[in-house]
Amino acid sequence: FCSECGQKDSELLKFSTLVKEFFNEFLDLDSRFFLTLKYLITKPGFLTKEYWKGRKSRYLSPFRIYLISGILLVFFDSIFLNNANENSQSKTPSTEVEKLESDISIVMSSWNTTKDNIDYFFASENQNLNLLFFMPLFSLGLLISNRKQKHLYITHHFVTSLHIFSVGNLLEAMMLFFNKVLPNYQSLSGFIEVGFYVYTVLAIKHVMDMILIKSIIKTTFAFMVSIFASIFAIVTLTMSLSIIL
């Protein structure tokens, strides 16, 4: 130990110490993480209402839990999905490879370009666009559908979106895992997608204190707003770039 500052001697620094400091300071994986994860999964909407009420010290912040869930999704995606893509590419016949190469040399139509951009936008690894674009639109949909509640601003709904899409990241990571471990049961991914919708409905129901049918309508409306607004923005951007280029 240093006689002046009291810290450990730097010469005794180990790699395990660096890893521990990373988790403690960056991810803060203490008891709050497990408590947050517990309520996030078992009580949809509970963490959002706690955050609205100012009870923040017991749980991880919405941004941090979204970051952690995004890291887990990227981790599973890099392990399972990339391996699947490599296997599928290695099995491609030479005739198909030649066909793909010839298609690349052809100028893509505006529709195909737009479709590719839409597929890229909704790719699982595009977490930055999900955070900066899709979730704000989903929050806007919630704001419009709950416009009679004047005390709620778009920031309230953005916190709701952060918690909901954190669960979405966890479910998508689970789907990648199941597709790898149980390749013959691809239908499980459909159940997980339905599960995410059901979770969102329950979260909105508990956060807004409304009946189930209203929650279904408002959740569906928010998803429709975010999806169609995203597609419209991408189509507009693609057409603008095609005109400029």
Side-chain angles (χ1 to χ4, degrees):
F1 290 88
C2 177
S3 59
E4 296 182 0
C5 64
Q7 294 184 353
K8 289 185 177 181
D9 194 334
S10 59
E11 296 180 356
L12 302 178
L13 185 62
K14 299 180 180 180
F15 179 75
S16 59
T17 304
L18 293 176
V19 175
K20 183 178 179 180
E21 289 179 353
F22 171 79
F23 282 105
N24 287 340
E25 297 182 8
F26 184 66
L27 296 179
D28 195 17
L29 293 181
D30 52 16
S31 59
R32 293 191 306 158
F33 169 76
F34 299 102
L35 183 64
T36 303
L37 188 64
K38 171 187 174 182
Y39 287 129
L40 183 69
I41 296 175
T42 60
K43 292 186 176 182
F46 174 79
L47 290 178
T48 301
K49 297 192 72 172
E50 288 287 284
Y51 191 87
W52 287 1
K53 294 176 182 178
R55 302 169 186 168
K56 307 174 183 179
S57 60
R58 295 183 59 193
Y59 317 104
L60 295 183
S61 67
F63 273 107
R64 178 160 291 184
I65 192 63
Y66 180 82
L67 173 64
I68 295 175
S69 65
I71 291 175
L72 290 176
L73 175 57
V74 171
F75 174 76
F76 280 100
D77 178 74
S78 61
I79 292 179
F80 298 138
L81 195 59
N82 290 343
N83 291 339
N85 291 337
E86 291 176 0
N87 294 334
S88 61
Q89 291 175 1
S90 62
K91 296 179 181 180
T92 303
S94 58
T95 56
E96 294 184 6
V97 173
E98 294 174 357
K99 182 179 179 181
L100 290 175
E101 292 176 350
S102 63
D103 290 340
I104 294 175
S105 62
I106 301 175
V107 178
M108 299 295 294
S109 63
S110 59
W111 166 246
N112 288 333
T113 304
T114 302
K115 182 178 181 297
D116 291 339
N117 289 333
I118 293 173
D119 291 339
Y120 173 77
F121 178 83
F122 288 103
S124 60
E125 64 268 20
N126 224 7
Q127 292 299 309
N128 54 338
L129 289 181
N130 190 28
L131 175 62
L132 299 176
F133 197 78
F134 192 84
M135 282 198 299
L137 290 175
F138 183 80
S139 304
L140 179 62
L142 291 178
L143 178 66
I144 296 173
S145 61
N146 297 280
R147 59 187 179 277
K148 292 184 179 181
Q149 301 191 32
K150 303 297 184 180
H151 64 287
L152 296 180
Y153 300 95
I154 193 169
T155 50
H156 290 85
H157 299 296
F158 191 70
V159 171
T160 306
S161 300
L162 284 170
H163 285 139
I164 290 174
F165 282 88
S166 295
V167 174
N169 289 339
L170 295 176
L171 289 175
E172 193 167 355
M174 186 185 304
M175 181 176 64
L176 292 173
F177 176 78
F178 281 130
N179 288 343
K180 180 65 176 180
V181 177
L182 302 172
N184 296 327
Y185 294 90
Q186 297 292 332
S187 59
L188 287 175
S189 60
F191 287 105
I192 292 178
E193 292 175 358
V194 173
F196 174 65
Y197 177 79
V198 172
Y199 178 92
T200 304
V201 169
L202 294 177
I204 300 301
K205 175 181 181 295
H206 294 153
V207 168
M208 301 299 174
D209 293 323
M210 60 181 56
I211 61 176
L212 183 60
I213 186 63
K214 283 188 176 181
S215 177
I216 294 175
I217 295 174
K218 293 179 183 292
T219 300
T220 304
F221 176 80
F223 274 121
M224 296 297 289
V225 167
S226 54
I227 291 174
F228 282 109
S230 301
I231 294 176
F232 176 78
I234 296 172
V235 171
T236 304
L237 179 61
T238 302
M239 295 179 63
S240 301
L241 291 176
S242 63
I243 293 174
I244 295 174
L245 299 177

